[in-house]
Amino acid sequence: MLRALPDEGSQSGSALVISIFFLLLLATLALTGLRASTTNVQIVGNMQARQEVSATAQMLIEQTVSSDEFARNPQGVLQAARVESDFNGDGAVDSIATFAEAPRCLRARSVSFLDLDPSNPIDAPCFASAALSNPGLVPSGGGPAGSLCADTEWQLSARSTDARTGAAITLNQG
């Protein structure tokens, strides 16, 4: 029995269509992967900008609280306090932090002499105030005035903005 061979002209078009289909499928997968990686790079960049502005705001608060000027004139630091950061070392300012509002004292309490250690050199200036008739802090119990040392709690609010991305954060610390 003789078999007829298939017509070669009828199969050449189907191979081309199948090849184009798989080529389009691979191109779609490649574009999807590229788009996903671009999105991930943008997410990482945004997170980095957020961390940088947060670090700049924290730096402003830490520098202010640990300065002698804050202890003497807390309201005066509002105008002078400013931190500029260059995170990538290119010489341009990347992030700027200033206070969003004036620092507020939430509470202040005079430290009792019973809470101080006479052998601790850090507590020594607090004992020197005992010779004063009125150290300036009124005790809450109405008894005799305590030392010049006080426990205070402050509310500080720093606003920081990234110059390149515009990312901004307001950091509240109390």
Side-chain angles (χ1 to χ4, degrees):
M1 206 185 237
L2 290 172
R3 288 191 171 159
L5 293 173
D7 185 16
E8 293 177 6
S10 66
Q11 290 185 5
S12 63
S14 63
L16 180 63
V17 169
I18 291 172
S19 299
I20 289 175
F21 173 75
F22 279 111
L23 184 62
L24 288 174
L25 183 66
L26 289 174
T28 303
L29 289 173
L31 286 175
T32 302
L34 180 65
R35 185 172 294 140
S37 67
T38 303
T39 302
N40 288 340
V41 167
Q42 289 174 339
I43 290 171
V44 169
N46 288 341
M47 289 301 294
Q48 180 180 357
R50 183 179 183 278
Q51 290 296 327
E52 288 174 356
V53 295
S54 180
T56 304
Q58 186 66 39
M59 192 182 324
L60 173 67
I61 290 173
E62 293 296 325
Q63 284 179 0
T64 302
V65 169
S66 54
S67 72
D68 290 339
E69 182 63 26
F70 180 72
R72 286 189 298 256
N73 184 11
Q75 301 304 321
V77 299
L78 179 65
Q79 293 81 20
R82 179 182 173 101
V83 171
E84 296 178 349
S85 298
D86 177 18
F87 288 102
N88 56 9
D90 65 354
V93 175
D94 294 323
S95 178
I96 300 170
T98 56
F99 277 115
E101 61 185 42
R104 289 186 329 227
C105 182
L106 301 178
R107 72 172 181 87
R109 117 179 143 75
S110 176
V111 176
S112 168
F113 286 115
L114 299 175
D115 295 334
L116 298 172
D117 181 10
S119 62
N120 186 349
I122 295 174
D123 289 346
C126 300
F127 284 102
S129 66
L132 298 175
S133 61
N134 184 3
L137 294 172
V138 178
S140 60
S147 67
L148 273 183
C149 296
D151 286 332
T152 60
E153 184 178 341
W154 290 84
Q155 174 67 35
L156 299 160
S157 179
R159 178 138 180 96
S160 182
T161 306
D162 186 278
R164 183 178 47 86
T165 63
I169 190 169
T170 301
L171 182 66
N172 294 307
Q173 189 167 353

